[in-house]
Amino acid sequence: QARVLGDRALEFMAAGGTALAHLDLGEVEEAKAWLDRAAAAAAESPTPFRARQLETWRGVWSGAAGDGAAMLTHLDRAVKLATEQGRPAARCEVLARLALEAARMGAASQDEHLLEAAERAAGEAKELNGLLPGHPPWGAQADAALARVALARGARDEAAAAARSAMSAFESALTEDAHLEILLPAAEALQGTDDAGKLRAFLHVTLAMTAQRTLDEDVRVRWLRGPTGRKLVELSGPLEGLAMRPPEDGRPPVEESDAELMRLLLEGLSNREIGQRLGIEEPEVRRRLGAMFSRVGASSQAEATAFAFRERVV
């Protein structure tokens, strides 16, 4: 629609955003097709911002495709463009992204070159972030990258310290965004520490909110089975602790069957798979989901989630 309207800025951002969404689902080839569409829009109407953003997206895509050298090349180029354009905030943002991508790939492959690149970028991002106003997430992202680097090198105490720093910055920002690129490395680094339980509870809430706010069943299942969703489920741990508790003001309690439906949703199951788990047909699953939302006064999964956490029933 943006292309039909001739709005190149909207076309560029829509294509790039869709590419990132496919990467979140682990769909690398589909992401590449949308990234090519973003590049075509940028070529037809070039701006310094689009040049820099395209290099950033290409770096993230290269990392997802497993090409560490191309990832570093594209993100280094984006850092250079931000510097030449006199954009310190943009430079800090790209440095933090470079640190995250290099740390993730370096930890997975035990590539010291990538780990060192992550360490350098994180250090620069943290230094620059301290000069910027407000509460941007880039310092916390840099700390999350440092936590992953330290963990890959076996320095667990150092990793935990960096993770605590990341979580402190994340909490002080009071952001409504999940920022899983911060939470997941921090959770890995804090496993086995006194802070693990608190963070795991936060991950449970994040998982619940994500699963039930994704109204498209197909997308919900694909995301929870994709690289980010799988890691979130893994680090959240068992969901048996989720239980419906009756309210304290005399209203009828929410039924235990509702709690079971919520728990199965959080496992990333489709309506058909939920039916197989419960021994009922798929239409019955849809009926029970509709009845559950009706009982809690919610017309959507998002509203049901808000009810659940507001009324302390999950």
Side-chain angles (χ1 to χ4, degrees):
Q1 279 301 109
R3 189 165 187 81
V4 170
L5 294 171
D7 190 333
R8 291 293 174 263
L10 182 57
E11 181 186 357
F12 175 74
M13 295 304 292
T18 304
L20 296 181
H22 278 292
L23 287 182
D24 221 22
L25 296 170
E27 298 167 352
V28 177
E29 290 307 314
E30 291 87 344
K32 180 62 164 58
W34 283 98
L35 196 55
D36 288 344
R37 295 181 69 171
E44 291 180 11
S45 182
T47 69
F49 165 76
R50 288 170 204 164
R52 185 181 72 244
Q53 189 64 66
L54 192 58
E55 287 298 331
T56 302
W57 288 339
R58 282 172 168 160
V60 173
W61 181 88
S62 297
D67 190 339
M71 179 271 294
L72 290 176
T73 297
H74 286 299
L75 290 177
D76 278 336
R77 194 174 296 155
V79 171
K80 183 179 179 181
L81 286 172
T83 304
E84 292 173 349
Q85 294 162 10
R87 301 287 184 179
R91 183 170 183 268
C92 186
E93 180 180 14
V94 179
L95 282 167
R97 175 53 58 183
L98 194 161
L100 286 167
E101 292 297 323
R104 179 185 61 79
M105 296 190 71
S109 61
Q110 286 297 301
D111 186 323
E112 186 59 29
H113 173 65
L114 287 173
L115 294 177
E116 288 175 358
E119 203 168 31
R120 285 194 302 272
E124 289 185 54
K126 281 171 63 67
E127 182 178 356
L128 188 53
N129 188 75
L131 303 176
L132 298 173
H135 296 279
W138 309 315
Q141 289 174 344
D143 278 323
L146 290 173
R148 183 161 272 166
V149 169
L151 197 61
R153 291 172 173 166
R156 298 200 65 87
D157 290 344
E158 184 180 338
R164 291 187 185 99
S165 179
M167 291 308 302
S168 176
F170 175 77
E171 291 172 0
S172 65
L174 298 176
T175 179
E176 293 183 1
D177 296 327
H179 282 296
L180 294 176
E181 78 282 2
I182 298 172
L183 292 177
L184 298 184
E188 285 184 303
L190 291 173
Q191 284 182 323
T193 71
D194 293 339
D195 299 298
K198 175 184 175 183
L199 184 50
R200 189 175 300 111
F202 191 86
L203 292 179
H204 272 153
V205 173
T206 302
L207 177 59
M209 297 292 277
T210 302
Q212 295 192 50
R213 281 179 170 173
T214 308
L215 303 185
D216 186 307
E217 178 193 354
D218 176 60
V219 172
R220 183 193 80 217
V221 172
R222 285 157 62 199
W223 187 84
L224 285 166
R225 292 177 178 178
T228 304
R230 283 200 311 270
K231 197 64 179 177
L232 177 57
V233 171
E234 175 191 329
L235 291 171
S236 295
L239 299 176
E240 285 77 8
L242 295 176
M244 305 297 273
R245 293 190 293 271
E248 300 174 357
D249 60 2
R251 288 176 297 169
V254 181
E255 296 181 5
E256 176 59 31
S257 60
D258 293 346
E260 181 63 17
L261 283 178
M262 285 188 177
R263 282 193 287 268
L264 294 176
L265 280 177
L266 300 191
E267 290 183 28
L269 301 183
S270 66
N271 290 351
R272 179 180 59 82
E273 290 166 331
I274 290 174
Q276 290 174 345
R277 185 77 65 86
L278 297 178
I280 59 179
E281 297 295 324
E282 188 173 349
E284 175 65 10
V285 174
R286 290 197 294 270
R287 186 197 69 77
R288 287 178 59 175
L289 285 172
M292 178 184 73
F293 297 149
S294 175
R295 279 196 295 276
V296 300
S299 59
S300 71
Q301 290 182 348
E303 292 177 22
T305 300
F307 170 89
F309 288 101
R310 184 178 65 245
E311 303 299 330
R312 292 170 54 85
V313 297
V314 175

